[in-house]
Amino acid sequence: MPLIEFTDKGLYCAPGKFYIDPWQPVEKAVITHAHSDHARGGSQAYLCHRDTLPLLQLRLGPNNYQTVEWNEKIWLNEVTVSLHPAGHIIGSSQIRVEHKGEVWVVSGDYKTEADGISGTFEPIRCNTFISESTFGLPIYNWKPQQAIFHDIQNWVRNNEVAGKTSVLIGYSLGKAQRVLKAVAPITNNIFVHGAIWNVHETLIQAGHQLPAVQRITPDTPKEAFKNSIVLAPPSADGSPWMRRFAPYSVGICSGWMQVRGNQRRRNADAGFALSDHADWNGLLQTVQATGAEKVYITHGFQSVFSRYLNELGIDAAEVKTEFGTEEEPPATSTDSLKGEEDIIE
Ligand SMILES: [Zn+2]
Ligand SMILES: [Zn+2]
């Protein structure tokens, strides 16, 4: 029997008697990170990285939680388990499982470029690697973070000259903290949506250093937004909540913005391809660096990516899971051909 099985409740390690990121309530859940498609409520006990704990408490409420540090080895029944930085968001971890000399690694979501917030990703040697593939198409090639930050800063300055408020859209856990890092050097006049405020306060209380922000409330006077930067989650984009910022310009921060047609579809004034996931080369280099003899590819472009790995002589197979994406992909983004058309225009 394989060390980790794909069951209808999620990834299951039988000799360890635990699930990794299960999508149904189980007895013991090992959690890679606090995004809602990976960390679901209802389980009896949770194991996660220390930095993930306050985020799980925020999202799932009080529960039976156990935490570990990165690289700390613990025994769960017959297996040793350790967590290793995944570089995706604060606390995000790969899960390494060892049983009688055989090693499996579950990547969770990961990003290979160090963002200065999330911990630095490191590939882990293993026999079998289970990898995400959110951006597993060759068209996804990220610019370095610093270059994207410059693009964002220039856009903000241009908006200021035009007398417009800059509204930057990014999901509240992970992206918002990076966007904050991008704009903090050029302003101290930053407002955030309540959803981002909740995550921000949780992180500050947990001891993370983040730039100061102001919460937007119904009482915040409209004039306060003049020459300011506003951070808001995707759900706010296009809603009546935005009216208070007029005149404003909207910039979406998402890996999907790499494909220009997606920016147009979302009706954004600007798109910044700032992603919390590995790009095509990041995925490829990681799979190779693990040295795994067998690779399973989960959520994303799993069929394209696993076929490509097979062509390289790497034994890879796609696996269907119920992991989604924290930044909702544009309606047509799962259609890879459409994406390629868009990039050529
Ligand atoms: Zn995630
Ligand atoms: Zn995911």
Side-chain angles (χ1 to χ4, degrees), residues 21 28 35 43 78 102 208 212 217 303 335-336:
D21 294 353
K28 178 94 182 171
H35 279 147
S43 289
E78 294 167 35
E102 186 184 349
H208 295 279
T217 70
S303 68
D335 179 350
S336 61

Side-chain angles (χ1 to χ4, degrees), residues 33 35 37-38 88 109 277 326:
H33 67 291
H35 279 147
D37 57 323
H38 292 261
H88 170 61
D109 291 341
H277 293 266
E326 53 286 327

Side-chain angles (χ1 to χ4, degrees), residues 177-318:
Q177 290 77 48
R178 292 180 73 198
V179 175
L180 187 53
K181 195 178 157 77
V183 297
I186 58 166
T187 181
N188 48 23
N189 197 11
I190 305 168
F191 285 91
V192 300
H193 183 277
I196 293 173
W197 172 263
N198 290 341
V199 172
H200 186 85
E201 280 301 290
T202 300
L203 292 171
I204 295 276
Q205 276 165 28
H208 295 279
Q209 305 281 332
L210 294 171
V213 298
Q214 301 167 74
R215 181 184 194 154
I216 297 164
T217 70
D219 302 329
T220 313
K222 209 176 166 297
E223 309 80 66
F225 301 120
K226 202 168 163 30
N227 282 328
S228 76
I229 296 175
V230 171
L231 307 189
S235 58
D237 190 16
S239 77
W241 182 84
M242 301 276 279
R243 283 188 206 132
R244 68 193 76 196
F245 307 121
Y248 64 89
S249 193
V250 175
I252 296 179
C253 303
S254 159
W256 302 111
M257 293 300 114
Q258 180 90 355
V259 175
R260 232 187 306 154
N262 289 337
Q263 181 187 323
R264 198 176 52 230
R265 253 171 246 127
R266 293 270 300 265
N267 247 324
D269 302 303
F272 303 101
L274 183 71
S275 175
D276 295 324
H277 293 266
D279 64 5
W280 170 258
N281 284 320
L283 292 169
L284 204 55
Q285 282 160 14
T286 298
V287 166
Q288 288 167 329
T290 63
E293 300 104 57
K294 177 81 198 184
V295 181
Y296 291 103
I297 304 298
T298 66
H299 58 313
F301 292 103
Q302 64 263 30
S303 68
V304 175
F305 188 48
S306 58
R307 257 187 287 134
Y308 186 79
L309 291 174
N310 283 326
E311 282 167 25
L312 295 180
I314 297 169
D315 183 3
E318 60 173 306

